[in-house]
Amino acid sequence: MLDGKKVLFSGMQSTGNLTLGNYLGALKNWVSLTDEYECFYCVVDEHSITVRQDPAVLRKRARALLILYIAAGIDPEKACLYYQSHVPAHAELAWILDCYTYMGEMSRMTQFKDKSAKHADNINVGLFAYPVLMASDILLYQTDIVPVGIDQLQHLEICRDIALRFNNIYGNVFTIPEAYVGKVGAKIMSLQDPSKKMSKSDENPNASIYLMDDKDTIIRKFKRAVTDSEAHIAYSDSQPGVKNLIDIYSACTGRTSDDIVKEFDGRGYGELKEAAGECVAGLLSPIQVRCAELTKEKDYIDGIIKRNAEKASYTAEKTLRKVQHKIGFPDRIR
Ligand code: ATP
Ligand code: LTN
């Protein structure tokens, strides 16, 4: 609890252009939870360097991501929006928790397996220990809930395991967090291969809708979306492409999949694609306009970055000092 409210923490990597999957699976839920919880929304730039980055591009993307959080509707006066690298406690706690995490646990993580297969020339220790840094992010703020897409549930489980292990040795140091997965949009699939999740690092640009895509591009990508040859609109695992289009349409409109299937009964895939495309373009357009406006407001954004790094550090350091004391590091002399 912080100021009488439960605490929420979440973060995104500043690696690439955000997709509709990131928006519907995570960001959209963040916006709706801001009033109810004391929220920390982090740009996890330290996680980003587990894969090689161009420094100038990384810096630019980190700022663009923080701006996007605001443009998507998060009020920076209510929620704490900040860069992970501006709060040293994240890396410090990660080192400590590394010493309470087993190699076997980390090597089972599917994201590690996927990313090490994809970047076989750079399987670094950071990539391996990635979930421990993520656990530190969450545990530093005594977080109650963590809104994420389904792909991150395994990391959340390991975070809870590490926290419970630590609490069992040292007493109640960490709050045990719960995952929060939205009812719709928790796993948006690639438009080109509906067996894979839509991902910002997909090499095929037609597979993902980027949040900054213009309307024509969005409509074109939906038109090209892979479906099947059944020529009938149903919400079924045997028609994953069509199911994905319905999920997207449902997440954007708030309507149920049943309702959408009824609306499109007897109509062609082309009509469903067009409806989904129009709806996504309408949803993204105001966010794009706001991003462009905010990008010009340099002093306003700088102020948010400075203030929030201080606010996050204050809360994070309280937990870090407690942990350091519990494990036997010498107390600071005041
Ligand atoms: P990368 O391709 O670089 O691994 P990513 O697109 O998977 O990145 P992340 O930065 O790992 O994105 O994820 C940010 C948030 O978006 C997480 O909460 C994640 O669960 C969610 N998310 C990512 N992809 C999807 C998707 N296709 N559907 C729903 N949620 C998603
Ligand atoms: N691993 C997450 C990003 C992330 C995160 C976090 C999400 C880093 N730290 C803490 C929630 C809470 C990802 O790849 N999407």
Side-chain angles (χ1 to χ4, degrees):
M1 291 287 237
L2 206 60
D3 295 335
K5 280 184 175 175
K6 286 194 167 183
V7 178
L8 178 157
F9 185 97
S10 200
M12 279 195 205
Q13 298 190 64
S14 40
T15 45
N17 298 318
L18 256 64
T19 70
L20 185 64
N22 299 128
Y23 181 70
L24 297 177
L27 202 47
K28 192 163 175 278
N29 294 326
W30 296 8
V31 177
S32 66
L33 295 164
T34 302
D35 283 332
E36 198 181 331
Y37 293 89
E38 185 67 34
C39 299
F40 294 87
Y41 294 123
C42 187
V43 172
V44 294
D45 48 0
E46 291 175 331
H47 278 106
S48 305
I49 62 161
T50 52
V51 171
R52 215 48 93 223
Q53 304 290 335
D54 175 314
V57 175
L58 179 62
R59 206 175 343 267
K60 211 166 138 201
R61 280 191 172 145
R63 190 171 175 99
L65 183 54
L66 194 127
I67 288 175
L68 185 65
Y69 288 178
I70 305 172
I74 297 171
D75 181 346
E77 299 305 321
K78 290 189 186 152
C80 184
L81 312 179
Y82 71 102
Y83 298 129
Q84 189 182 31
S85 62
H86 286 192
V87 181
H90 288 249
E92 287 184 69
L93 182 62
W95 168 254
I96 294 172
L97 296 183
D98 276 339
C99 302
Y100 294 81
T101 307
Y102 299 110
M103 303 283 285
E105 292 176 307
M106 293 295 97
S107 49
R108 284 197 294 276
M109 297 290 112
T110 45
Q111 184 171 305
F112 171 69
K113 288 190 222 163
D114 291 351
K115 294 223 166 161
S116 48
K118 211 162 155 188
H119 304 277
D121 54 337
N122 181 20
I123 306 177
N124 58 70
V125 176
L127 189 65
F128 188 68
Y130 176 111
V132 185
L133 180 59
M134 177 162 163
S136 307
D137 299 340
I138 297 166
L139 300 177
L140 275 175
Y141 298 90
Q142 304 294 350
T143 301
D144 296 283
I145 71 155
V146 186
V148 281
I150 286 176
D151 62 305
Q152 292 300 313
L153 289 181
Q154 198 184 29
H155 287 161
L156 235 287
E157 240 355 272
I158 204 80
C159 168
R160 288 163 56 90
D161 290 346
I162 296 170
L164 284 167
R165 182 174 304 148
F166 199 91
N167 283 357
N168 276 335
I169 308 175
Y170 300 106
N172 259 350
V173 178
F174 296 125
T175 301
I176 308 300
E178 303 273 348
Y180 174 99
V181 178
K183 285 186 194 65
V184 282
K187 195 162 188 190
I188 301 298
M189 309 311 275
S190 152
L191 294 183
Q192 290 298 310
D193 176 358
S195 68
K196 279 191 344 197
K197 77 161 189 163
M198 186 181 284
S199 159
K200 54 177 137 70
S201 48
D202 200 311
E203 268 135 40
N204 180 352
N206 290 322
S208 306
I209 302 290
Y210 298 108
L211 297 190
M212 293 301 142
D213 278 348
D214 61 27
K215 184 170 178 181
D216 289 350
T217 308
I218 294 172
I219 302 284
R220 180 176 44 79
K221 287 183 180 177
F222 271 101
K223 270 193 188 149
R224 289 194 188 167
V226 169
T227 46
D228 51 57
S229 54
E230 300 207 11
H232 133 91
I233 292 177
Y235 190 73
S236 150
D237 287 338
S238 63
Q239 291 179 256
V242 175
K243 185 172 183 234
N244 191 36
L245 292 172
I246 296 173
D247 276 336
I248 292 174
Y249 195 39
S250 163
C252 293
T253 55
R255 292 172 51 194
T256 65
S257 50
D258 281 355
D259 197 22
I260 295 167
V261 170
K262 269 187 214 133
E263 179 192 339
F264 286 92
D265 185 33
R267 295 162 69 186
Y269 291 166
E271 288 181 70
L272 176 61
K273 288 178 176 181
E274 196 180 322
E278 288 286 342
C279 183
V280 168
L283 191 72
L284 298 186
S285 159
I287 298 177
Q288 295 170 351
V289 171
R290 189 81 188 110
C291 260
E293 289 166 359
L294 285 166
T295 303
K296 291 185 210 136
E297 295 184 39
K298 184 173 179 306
D299 292 347
Y300 171 67
I301 299 295
D302 285 350
I304 290 169
I305 291 171
K306 183 166 186 296
R307 239 181 304 126
N308 283 341
E310 286 162 8
K311 184 177 165 195
S313 295
Y314 177 79
T315 306
E317 279 179 21
K318 271 212 282 205
T319 302
L320 181 66
R321 298 288 168 254
K322 193 168 170 187
V323 168
Q324 289 172 328
H325 179 77
K326 289 278 184 187
I327 57 179
F329 288 175
D331 290 330
R332 278 154 204 253
I333 314 288
R334 282 173 213 280

